Amino acid sequence: MKPALFSYAAPRSLDEALVLLAEHADDAQILAGGQSLAPMLNLRLAAPDWLIDVNRVPGLDVIEETAEGLRVGAMTRQNALLDHVADAPDWSLLAQAIPHVAHRGIRNRGTIGGSVALADPAAEAPACAIALDAVIRLASVRGEREVPASDFFLGLYETAREPDEMIVAVFYPRPAPGWLFGFDEVARRRGDYALAGLCAGMRVEEAFVRDARLVFFAVGDRPTRARVAEDALIGRNVADIAARAAACAAARAGIEVMPGGDCGVEYKRRLVGVLLERQLARFEAMGGDRDG
Amino acid sequence: MEARAPSGEIGRARPDARTRRFLAGCGRFTGDTRPVGALHACFLRSPHANARILKIDAQAARRAPGVEAVFLSDDLARACKSWRTVSTAFPGLVSPTQRPLAQDRVAFQGEPVALVVAESRALAEDAAELIEVEYEPLPAMADYRRGLEEDAPLAHPETGSNRAWSLDVATGDVEAAFAQAACVVEDEIVFSRHTGVPLEPRTILASFDPSAQRLEARISHQMPHQMQAHLADLLDLPMSRVRVVAADVGGGFGVKMHVYPEEIAVCAATRLLGRSVLFVADRVESMLSDVHAREHVVRARMAVSDEGRITAFDIDDLHGIGAYSVYPRSSTMETVMAIRAMGAPYRFEAYRARANVVFQNKAMTGQYRSVGHPIAATVTERLVDRAARALGVDPLAFRRANYVRPQDMPLVNPAGLRLLDLSHEACLDRMMALLDYEALRGEIEEGRASGRIIGLGFAAFVEMTASGTEVYGQAGVPVAAVDTVTLALEPDGSLKAAASVAEIGQGIGQGIAQILAEGVGVPVESVEVALGDTASAPHGGGAWSSRGAAIGGEAAWGAARKLRGAILEVAAALTQEAADALDIVAGGVVDASGRERMTLRALAETVHFRGHELPEGVQAQLAVAHSYRRERDAAIPTNGIQASLVEIDGDTGIIRCRKHWVVEDCGRVVNPLLVDGQIRGGVVQGLGAALFEECRYDGAGEFLSASLADYLLPMAFETPDIEIAHVETPYSGSVIGAKGAGECGTCAAAAAFLNAVNDAIAPQGASISATPVTPERVLRALGRINGEGAP
Amino acid sequence: MTVDFAQEARVRIETRVNGRTIRAEVPARLSLVEWLRDELGLTGSHVGCEHGVCGACTIVVDGSCLRGCLMFAAQADGCDVETIEGAVASGRLAALQEAFYRHAALQCGFCTSGMLLTAAELLARERNPGRQRIREELSGNYCRCTGYQSIVDAVEVAARAQQEENGS
């Protein structure tokens, strides 16, 4: 279980990295934390000609927090972000979600940008990005651009990133007052990829739902918003049991489940309803708290 | 039989001194050392479950960078023989010939087809990718439940049937027992294939000295002497020129007790090349080619009389063993133990069992911790719980009423097990106290009243341990069940021992040291025990069948007493006292008054350095050997009971084992700390099988769970605390009275867990009879998926 | 025979390993743990799965535990690497080592290096982790032998010892 031969480059600047990437775009892989790529290389499931290791590029692991939001450099390790957001109410979704990413040893090395770029449908970071309305910042020799997370994930391991681009940062806008967030997932074992998971955001004013982002992951081929379920909640009281039941039913019915793996479509569909129902109950409690 | 001295080291909870080196990062595993210039092996493996090999082109691979050689089947035939598993214990067993590399057909995905030897493993893998093999795929025999049907694909086209072997057992009038039964319970239980997954993969470093025609194999293996014998046979060398060294072994569990094609191929290659060759199985090839175990479907019925007594069992077992019956012990040993151990804790009069053993185009199966017993325990205990429920009696009361009692033994039960020295009722009493049974039941009822899905399950068990010489001896299989310990007094008064039992992490070296220390009368720190090297350790059994303390321990005791006698003879000559008036205590020779007359060091120095001071005619014999063969009881039965408390999330189906308890009787406990470690580890292996572990194949025989992301092992977070208590009924046929302790945890853990799950869901009218108990299976059983029902 | 490594990309690195600076040229595809084991003889780190699941190859890089099989040796350029050998020599594992020993928190010993280093990182971050927290933090390290309970016991005891030491 050893990787096939590859050429290796460890650029020392972003420009150098982008030039290399432009040069080898079609037969290169960017090596970020490597916690998914290295196993694939070891198993020879991936065998790129070039490995462009961006761990040496300075400045890519910076976390900047401003009034506008949180700019997380792509090479920020999962645990570094977790340490930053641990006690920050605005980033409670990240604080809740990241501990579910594999295990400490993996999170110490795995990066936010790498996880977003890989777009594993069962990963937490892409779903968090959508639920927080994040913007993915991409760079290439052609320049930089931003893609909203909601437009970034296109399918199974498929994103809006062009082959010559790399993610340089993920920007999470600071949630407006009233936003509540919750995270939950069902996994066979601690740290496993989820059988189904939910990143949920809800803006509640005086116990009424004003806005919602319900992002399910590990269900379809990419993290997916349950828009019909969101609509069923918006304008309703957080304690409205009928609206909640309708939202759960809509989420369950509407979600596209990717078949395969060792668990069935019906089971996943059920988990979707369970996760949402539980989360809505928690939101009710949280919304009540805020009112109090 | 000599009485054992009271108190002392035997029975003392001591950490295993050997473990210090691992804590310092100084373990000595097979892959940790290699001679300069050692080459690395990589196998090209079959991607097909069943296919003819039409053509192999290895030219490009042979020219690849760093490649020393590429071997195909015919190449290795120059250096080693083929083999076939036969056993007079399994008359009619049909297992095809095996070679180190597949000859013209592959019979499972992962079967080695070519061996590349190169300067590094990476280069060997590069070259292996260049080998072109033309296959003609054949229909795969994957679903063994169809294996005996007329039109089933044949695992081996040259045989007319997939039947490897079959077994029929009939004792007493089963028909009458069922006809007269007040209650008949039945079940069909499906067991998933799983495997041992020792953390250190199979590893071998083989070297051949052409000038002396000597082979040295450093191998991660449970029985170095068995490997020595087979390597000598298959490579046609005298055993004296084959040295096998098992250094630190990173777990075995039955995986590392067989002859695998890869290891033989590596030895043949090193012989042909005259250079050392290292093979370290990577995890995927370990999953593909280590023995798997326990793929059974068992249909079972049990008859209960109107007095609530079990009267008969009727068993139909179908066992899928993979592509070959593993060499040399045969995969069918698991079938036999599953059939023989059915109903073992209980009295019953009639027994009928049929077992059909079926070849499949899957990895070989073989002995895995608690061979066959978990099948028997799960089937038996499911039936017992079903009967108790049907009769409306407490499951523990039902067990108690049916247990084999002390006054019933010795007993050969209808399934053919010889039972003695068992303590079921005492273990049950202890368990009820440990659990605070009534209080716990009350808590469970309270929890249920508030909507929680909680269950408590039990499994009584009998585990046959420490197999004696007749088990393989009568089968004509060259497996040693006699063990030997050599022991010598060093000039500084310390003891140097070597034993034929093997260390694979279970702590037997520490156990042997404690027995030797007590037997001679020295502090345990002054005893050093060498294990695992055929050049120094006498021939014997190694590590299997929980035999270390029960057989190796007796050999150690005998050696210790011999040496003690020899020391006291010398001491008597030096002190002018009668030998029987002297004793050895804490490393010194004491007289009847308890006064120390000389230290062992002084005595040993005299013997080794100043022999002329000894009186005339005294020839000190300070190096002794003792072998032990048990003369009665083909195996030593042990018993106990396990309990498991589970809670199910009715929304998600996720199951948590909240707590697990074990009360067991392994006779005299030589070291409680280490025995408890064996039990806990064994329990978690059993729980892993019940909850997570599954070697999944698709219908074409493709292995779907070859990575540890797909094959789920029990990890720390999901594992419960396990409370343990002991009842000690010494084995009546030996001096120390120890029985096997290494496997009883695994024996009944899954059974107790499955009963707990069923206890939890029974109020909903649901039941589950398949492992692993996945969340999805739970929800299906509860009727909560199938498109119906809101969460 | 001639060995042709021409195709093998090699990378020059300078790495501190257990406090010593090592300059080496390593094949680009060589994992960090293999380099430490095979080239530097630091065989206390073990290779159990090579796909990041088992934790046997746990190594401390720049102060954090990570999987030695999922990082290339080439990436250790400029890093401070500590293996079980270095951590033991520094004495920082002494309380854990002793607790593991007393509680028989190891049998075959193959997982032990990874367990010790992972537990040490937990104890460096948290003064008083409970049993479930310990289980959670060790959940990425596979042990087939012990059933984990003795390991949890040992870490719990070492945490207490650490607290007492800090308190006094």
Side-chain angles (χ1 to χ4, degrees):
Chain A
M1 202 191 282
K2 313 294 175 198
L5 287 169
F6 53 75
S7 298
Y8 173 83
R12 304 281 164 152
S13 72
L14 183 57
D15 286 346
E16 197 190 332
L18 297 177
V19 168
L20 278 162
L21 201 49
E23 220 170 294
H24 304 288
D26 294 331
D27 42 21
Q29 290 265 12
I30 300 172
L31 176 59
Q35 302 303 285
S36 299
L37 179 56
M40 290 197 281
L41 293 167
N42 289 351
L43 290 157
R44 299 199 177 198
L45 296 173
D49 291 342
W50 276 86
L51 212 53
I52 300 173
D53 178 359
V54 294
N55 283 274
R56 301 273 146 210
V57 176
L60 282 183
D61 60 350
V62 174
I63 302 173
E64 281 176 286
E65 186 159 1
T66 63
E68 282 70 46
L70 190 63
R71 188 186 188 279
V72 176
M75 288 303 292
T76 302
R77 313 289 168 184
Q78 302 258 14
N79 268 341
L81 180 57
L82 179 59
D83 287 344
H84 184 91
V85 298
D87 301 310
D90 280 346
W91 313 118
S92 70
L93 179 65
L94 295 170
Q96 291 173 66
I98 296 172
H100 290 269
V101 178
H103 309 281
R104 174 166 295 282
I106 300 286
R107 295 193 300 269
N108 280 341
R109 185 75 180 163
T111 64
I112 296 296
S115 179
V116 167
L118 180 64
D120 188 307
E124 288 81 0
C128 285
I130 296 176
L132 289 169
D133 211 15
V135 173
I136 316 298
R137 189 161 183 87
L138 297 152
S140 72
V141 290
R142 296 175 286 122
E144 298 208 359
R145 66 176 179 130
E146 288 183 338
V147 179
S150 52
D151 298 333
F152 186 76
F153 303 100
L154 304 179
L156 189 64
Y157 302 111
E158 222 182 289
T159 69
R161 184 181 71 87
E162 298 292 335
D164 68 339
E165 287 181 310
M166 68 177 270
I167 298 176
V168 290
V170 178
F171 177 76
Y172 305 92
R174 189 175 296 281
W179 274 98
L180 307 173
F181 290 95
F183 176 90
D184 199 4
E185 66 176 42
V186 177
R188 295 284 298 278
R189 301 174 305 173
R190 182 77 194 179
D192 279 356
Y193 274 124
L195 301 171
L198 171 63
C199 289
M202 184 178 277
R203 189 160 63 83
V204 180
E205 280 174 4
E206 289 164 356
F208 277 83
V209 180
R210 298 300 172 196
D211 200 353
R213 291 185 216 118
L214 306 175
V215 185
F216 289 95
F217 62 98
V219 180
D221 65 354
R222 72 197 94 163
T224 312
R225 273 180 80 166
R227 300 226 181 230
V228 181
E230 292 170 6
D231 290 344
L233 294 165
I234 291 169
R236 314 298 287 263
N237 192 295
V238 285
D240 184 338
I241 297 294
R244 275 156 48 174
C248 291
R252 235 185 5 250
I255 195 131
E256 255 188 66
V257 181
M258 184 172 62
D262 58 344
C263 90
V265 169
E266 281 313 308
Y267 178 59
K268 288 218 175 203
R269 207 174 277 288
R270 178 186 170 84
L271 294 184
V272 164
V274 168
L275 286 166
L276 183 55
E277 186 186 67
R278 289 179 175 182
Q279 186 55 51
L280 294 176
R282 285 192 288 266
F283 277 148
E284 183 189 355
M286 290 160 75
D289 285 351
R290 284 224 169 170
D291 284 351
Chain B
M1 199 177 301
E2 182 197 13
R4 193 174 63 83
S7 79
E9 284 297 331
I10 297 175
R12 185 165 294 180
R14 278 189 182 278
D16 184 347
R18 168 192 59 101
T19 60
R20 287 275 192 207
R21 67 171 171 269
F22 304 112
L23 290 161
C26 297
R28 299 186 293 259
F29 296 96
T30 303
D32 291 345
T33 49
R34 67 192 61 164
V36 173
L39 297 164
H40 296 255
C42 164
F43 290 90
L44 178 72
R45 295 175 181 277
S46 167
H48 299 287
N50 195 3
R52 286 205 177 81
I53 300 171
L54 302 179
K55 195 176 149 211
I56 304 180
D57 181 353
Q59 285 315 305
R62 291 198 168 101
R63 289 193 303 267
V67 169
E68 176 77 15
V70 177
F71 296 106
L72 306 180
S73 185
D74 286 343
D75 303 323
L76 295 186
R78 291 186 284 126
C80 75
K81 304 180 203 166
S82 61
W83 61 90
R84 197 167 81 83
T85 303
V86 289
S87 164
T88 55
F90 309 118
L93 172 70
V94 186
S95 189
T97 296
Q98 278 186 275
R99 295 179 176 79
L101 298 170
Q103 177 94 333
D104 24 62
R105 196 175 59 83
V106 289
F108 66 97
Q109 188 199 10
E111 184 165 9
V113 171
L115 166 60
V116 182
V117 179
E119 296 294 328
S120 75
R121 169 78 187 214
L123 290 168
E125 290 188 20
D126 294 348
E129 286 190 337
L130 302 175
I131 301 173
E132 283 178 32
V133 187
E134 205 178 307
Y135 293 101
E136 179 195 338
L138 301 168
M141 172 59 232
D143 177 8
Y144 72 116
R145 301 184 67 165
R146 289 196 52 231
L148 298 179
E149 290 173 11
E150 280 283 296
D151 57 344
L154 290 174
H156 298 286
E158 68 276 16
T159 64
S161 159
N162 290 317
R163 191 191 309 272
W165 187 63
S166 60
L167 170 67
D168 277 282
V169 180
T171 310
D173 193 341
V174 173
E175 293 301 334
F178 277 93
Q180 291 155 21
C183 168
V184 172
V185 286
E186 58 189 317
D187 208 341
E188 179 178 283
I189 304 180
V190 180
F191 298 85
S192 73
R193 180 178 259 257
H194 46 275
T195 181
V197 200
L199 183 50
E200 180 207 25
R202 281 161 42 213
T203 304
I204 182 170
L205 171 65
S207 309
F208 190 75
D209 174 351
S211 65
Q213 292 285 298
R214 266 178 213 284
L215 176 73
E216 181 180 312
R218 304 181 66 86
I219 182 169
S220 181
H221 203 273
Q222 297 172 228
M223 303 85 172
H225 293 100
Q226 180 193 305
M227 276 311 286
Q228 182 197 17
H230 288 299
L231 287 172
D233 174 31
L234 294 174
L235 276 76
D236 205 15
L237 293 165
M239 276 180 74
S240 56
R241 292 208 192 127
V242 177
R243 178 184 178 188
V244 175
V245 184
D248 288 331
V249 174
F253 316 112
V255 165
K256 297 175 183 170
M257 55 185 277
H258 312 287
V259 171
Y260 287 93
E262 292 88 345
E263 279 85 328
I264 302 303
V266 165
C267 289
T270 197
R271 186 180 198 176
L272 291 169
L273 295 171
R275 291 180 65 182
S276 299
V277 179
L278 174 69
F279 168 64
V280 184
D282 70 31
R283 185 53 60 190
V284 168
E285 57 187 345
S286 296
M287 296 304 294
L288 283 169
S289 66
D290 284 359
V291 291
H292 298 173
R294 295 188 191 137
E295 189 167 15
H296 292 249
V297 53
V298 181
R299 278 189 292 125
R301 295 193 301 153
M302 183 175 85
V304 183
S305 73
D306 49 10
E307 295 103 53
R309 290 270 293 102
I310 299 169
T311 55
F313 288 91
D314 185 11
I315 303 292
D316 191 340
D317 177 22
L318 186 67
H319 179 195
I321 60 164
Y324 303 96
S325 190
V326 70
Y327 191 71
R329 294 172 184 234
S330 186
S331 311
T332 44
M333 198 52 97
E334 177 177 302
T335 329
V336 171
M337 281 321 304
I339 293 299
R340 294 285 179 204
M342 291 282 176
Y346 307 106
R347 309 192 301 283
F348 56 100
E349 286 101 49
Y351 185 63
R352 181 169 62 202
R354 288 163 301 272
N356 282 298
V357 181
V358 175
F359 284 124
Q360 308 155 286
N361 295 119
K362 295 185 180 179
M364 289 188 291
T365 62
Q367 286 77 349
Y368 173 42
R369 198 175 198 173
S370 193
V371 186
H373 293 79
I375 306 295
T378 301
V379 169
T380 303
E381 296 300 295
R382 276 308 296 135
L383 292 176
V384 163
D385 260 20
R386 280 186 181 277
R389 180 166 290 274
L391 298 169
V393 300
D394 177 84
L396 293 183
F398 183 79
R399 285 175 171 84
R400 189 187 292 279
N402 283 284
Y403 272 150
V404 172
R405 301 157 301 184
Q407 65 266 34
D408 302 320
M409 294 176 284
L411 164 78
V412 176
N413 82 357
L417 279 196
R418 184 173 148 79
L419 302 173
L420 71 160
D421 302 334
L422 301 181
S423 58
H424 289 296
E425 284 188 80
C427 286
L428 177 54
D429 290 338
R430 192 84 179 77
M431 176 61 86
M432 291 179 78
L434 201 60
L435 291 176
D436 196 353
Y437 184 51
E438 296 306 326
L440 184 57
R441 273 282 172 219
E443 280 170 44
I444 289 170
E445 288 315 320
E446 260 174 55
R448 283 178 178 170
S450 64
R452 291 164 66 189
I453 306 176
I454 313 175
L456 178 65
F458 295 93
F461 66 89
V462 169
E463 164 97 21
M464 304 305 288
T465 68
S467 298
T469 60
E470 51 271 68
V471 172
Y472 287 101
Q474 287 174 350
V477 177
V479 165
V482 175
D483 275 301
T484 301
V485 171
T486 63
L487 181 64
L489 185 67
E490 297 278 73
D492 67 351
S494 63
L495 298 188
K496 177 175 73 176
S500 61
V501 293
E503 182 68 69
I504 54 172
Q506 78 277 43
I508 192 58
Q510 178 68 30
I512 295 287
Q514 289 180 219
I515 291 168
L516 291 172
E518 177 164 330
V520 176
V522 298
V524 70
E525 295 79 12
S526 66
V527 184
E528 194 66 30
V529 183
L531 304 164
D533 183 346
T534 61
S536 56
H539 195 90
W544 56 280
S545 190
S546 300
R547 58 199 308 285
I551 301 177
E554 291 295 311
W557 181 256
R561 299 312 276 181
K562 269 186 192 166
L563 182 63
R564 178 180 174 277
I567 291 168
L568 290 180
E569 252 179 58
V570 175
L574 290 172
T575 59
Q576 305 293 306
E577 299 263 4
D580 58 9
L582 298 172
D583 196 5
I584 306 172
V585 176
V589 177
V590 299
D591 60 23
S593 71
R595 188 166 64 92
E596 182 172 291
R597 300 295 297 273
M598 65 177 67
T599 63
L600 288 193
R601 180 182 190 123
L603 182 145
E605 279 180 353
T606 304
V607 169
H608 287 291
F609 303 145
R610 299 188 304 279
H612 60 280
E613 292 178 7
L614 291 172
E616 195 181 332
V618 174
Q619 290 289 347
Q621 300 297 321
L622 298 186
V624 302
H626 189 80
S627 297
Y628 175 73
R629 164 178 78 86
R630 195 172 63 245
E631 294 181 52
R632 51 171 248 215
D633 304 318
I636 305 177
T638 71
N639 70 284
I641 183 166
Q642 301 197 17
S644 207
L645 179 69
V646 305
E647 179 154 10
I648 293 169
D649 180 330
D651 292 333
T652 64
I654 295 283
I655 311 163
R656 292 277 178 251
C657 183
R658 294 276 173 221
K659 181 131 196 211
H660 197 94
W661 298 264
V662 179
V663 178
E664 67 81 62
D665 185 345
C666 64
R668 182 74 70 226
V669 178
V670 174
N671 180 326
L673 179 67
L674 302 188
V675 163
D676 286 1
Q678 286 300 297
I679 294 171
R680 290 200 172 92
V683 164
V684 171
Q685 262 175 319
L687 293 177
L691 254 173
F692 296 121
E693 297 181 41
E694 189 169 17
C695 296
R696 286 183 293 123
Y697 285 83
D698 69 10
E702 185 174 343
F703 195 29
L704 303 177
S705 49
S707 86
L708 296 188
D710 299 303
Y711 187 91
L712 305 187
L713 290 157
M715 305 298 277
F717 191 75
E718 290 73 28
T719 304
D721 278 341
I722 299 157
E723 206 172 325
I724 297 171
H726 298 276
V727 170
E728 286 193 56
T729 310
Y731 171 54
S732 55
S734 69
V735 178
I736 295 170
K739 309 172 186 177
E743 299 171 87
C744 68
T746 309
C747 179
F753 174 86
L754 189 60
N755 274 346
V757 168
N758 278 293
D759 183 56
I761 62 178
Q764 277 90 338
S767 74
I768 291 182
S769 297
T771 55
V773 187
T774 63
E776 196 170 352
R777 272 186 176 142
V778 170
L779 293 190
R780 282 198 194 284
L782 289 170
R784 295 186 183 182
I785 40 176
N786 257 341
E788 62 195 1
Chain C
M1 68 161 287
T2 55
V3 183
D4 176 15
F5 286 112
Q7 294 182 61
E8 190 94 56
R10 295 177 82 84
V11 180
R12 208 165 281 157
I13 61 172
E14 184 175 317
T15 303
R16 277 181 81 73
V17 179
N18 297 331
R20 275 184 53 211
T21 300
I22 310 278
R23 290 184 191 84
E25 209 180 61
V26 296
R29 60 171 160 171
L30 185 68
S31 72
L32 176 58
V33 66
E34 283 181 288
W35 179 60
L36 294 167
R37 284 176 52 80
D38 299 349
E39 301 295 323
L40 305 188
L42 297 167
T43 54
S45 311
H46 300 136
V47 177
C49 76
E50 294 177 274
H51 54 287
V53 181
C54 78
C57 63
T58 298
I59 288 162
V60 181
V61 177
D62 296 335
S64 296
C65 284
L66 48 78
R67 308 292 211 224
C69 71
L70 299 188
M71 183 170 165
F72 296 106
Q75 298 186 280
D77 183 32
C79 292
D80 196 337
V81 173
E82 186 192 42
T83 67
I84 184 70
E85 289 89 348
V88 165
S90 76
R92 73 181 182 93
L93 300 179
L96 278 166
Q97 286 172 283
E98 190 58 22
F100 269 57
Y101 178 69
R102 298 264 159 232
H103 288 83
L106 68 161
Q107 290 176 23
C108 84
F110 206 77
C111 73
T112 306
S113 307
M115 286 288 183
L116 286 171
L117 293 173
T118 305
E121 182 162 327
L122 169 64
L123 296 191
R125 292 178 60 91
E126 295 179 31
R127 279 175 59 83
N128 190 20
R131 289 183 76 78
Q132 206 52 14
R133 183 77 192 111
I134 294 168
R135 287 184 175 279
E136 187 177 4
E137 285 290 303
L138 296 179
S139 66
N141 291 68
Y142 170 55
C143 168
R144 189 53 138 176
C145 297
T146 62
Y148 302 104
Q149 183 172 337
S150 55
I151 298 175
V152 177
D153 292 344
V155 176
E156 213 179 15
V157 164
R160 222 175 293 138
Q162 172 181 287
Q163 263 181 301
E164 278 161 20
E165 201 174 294
N166 293 348
S168 64

